[in-house]
Amino acid sequence: IEPLQSSSKMQAMQLSHSRSAMVAQRRSSRVAAARRSTTVCQAAAVAAKSVSGTMAELKKNKKVAFIPFICAGDPDLATTEAALKKLDAIGADVIELGVPYSDPLADGPIIQGAATRALEKGTTLEKVIEMVRRVAPGMKAPLVMFTYYNPIIRRGMDSFCKTISEAGAKGLLVPDIPLEETPEVRRHCEKYGLELVLLTTPTTPQSRMKEIAQASQGFIYLVSVTGVTGVKENMESRVEGLVSMLHAVTDKPVSVGFGVSRPEHAAQIKAWGAEGVICGSALVRALGESKTPEEGLAAMEKLARSLRAAIKQPAGSTGLQREGCRQQAANSSNMHQHERKAGAGWGPSCMQAAAAGMQADMKTMGGG
């Protein structure tokens, strides 16, 4: 009898262990499935918030992106943080955040002034990144960091890309590097999930436009003028042709910037077929040159809303303006005739100036 009882106990124990193992296995499978689901959801969220994902979704829905630019630290970082939240809340699709730098060769007086004020108030790269770390995770719009090459070199390319990615940035734009030097930057960007946006200009030949378009990520930044950033009275008529030239060599989104300061400018660029409208100097001026931060935020918001409204209104509305816009631009077209020059992005002369400036004066943002 005892052997039989012992055998029964053993079988009962084995059955119990087997049941426990099955329960544990089921639990493990459920946990693994939940983790997979979470990973998929997180990946989907990241894709939806990426620059390229945002631009692709807008293009699919035949909408044009509103891309505002502001300079970090002007009038102060607390106001910059509030401004980013406001721009996100009113429906900016992508937001560019400029890192103040002592020698901004691509920028005109307005953004130069903003950068100078920010640096004088002690804004550093580290402080900008910490501010981004606070605000970016809660934003719907992907954030593109706009910075010159010198601060990146000073910090170390890998460290810079890793840090801004961890802070919540989704893209990087470096205006003073030629196409030939972008592969190394892109390699580090891709390592940390950043997209490198490249620029093309009115002096860029179509063959080189094609190379830039192939290398650019997120969108192609089409500079509308031969010169620096600033507020313009009218958009140059040749921009329409430049948009068409880019569309002939790429299916990536084209966003037009430099000189956009009024709703009619935004509507005109939309009518010309661009997938994105970038406004910087006018917003920077509204935010940084007001009497108080509160007045600056209100002025910036008012302008941003008017620009977005012009971009987001039904296509038929802007279509009605197309002929008027073309005629207005045609009236001043003779002022903008020029010979195209071979070169990348800013062209050889600007790149030489950039190189000379970097070699002569390795100043960085307040020690940042």
Side-chain angles (χ1 to χ4, degrees), residues 104-186:
L105 65 93
D107 293 308
I110 293 173
I111 296 179
Q112 283 185 23
T116 299
R117 290 190 297 270
L119 293 173
E120 288 175 346
K121 291 185 178 181
T123 304
T124 65
L125 177 59
E126 292 301 327
K127 291 179 180 179
V128 173
I129 292 172
E130 284 308 308
M131 184 271 297
V132 170
R133 198 184 303 278
R134 289 192 301 271
V135 70
M139 291 169 51
K140 298 183 292 294
L143 187 70
V144 175
M145 299 284 283
F146 183 113
T147 182
Y148 290 88
Y149 201 30
N150 206 31
I152 298 176
I153 296 173
R154 180 68 177 267
R155 186 183 182 92
M157 197 179 300
D158 192 81
S159 173
F160 177 85
C161 292
K162 181 176 186 291
T163 303
I164 68 167
S165 175
E166 289 175 346
K170 297 298 178 181
L172 177 63
L173 200 160
V174 187
D176 56 343
I177 53 171
L179 175 65
E180 288 75 15
E181 294 181 23
T182 59
E184 180 69 6
V185 182
R186 189 180 307 103

Side-chain angles (χ1 to χ4, degrees), residues 61-111:
N61 294 321
K62 298 181 179 180
K63 295 181 179 179
V64 175
F66 170 45
I67 308 176
F69 167 97
I70 59 173
C71 179
D74 183 46
D76 53 61
L77 283 172
T79 305
T80 302
E81 185 171 344
L84 289 172
K85 291 177 180 177
K86 277 188 178 293
L87 291 170
D88 189 53
I90 68 173
D93 297 295
V94 177
I95 299 175
E96 288 183 21
L97 179 65
V99 177
Y101 178 60
S102 57
D103 302 283
L105 65 93
D107 293 308
I110 293 173
I111 296 179

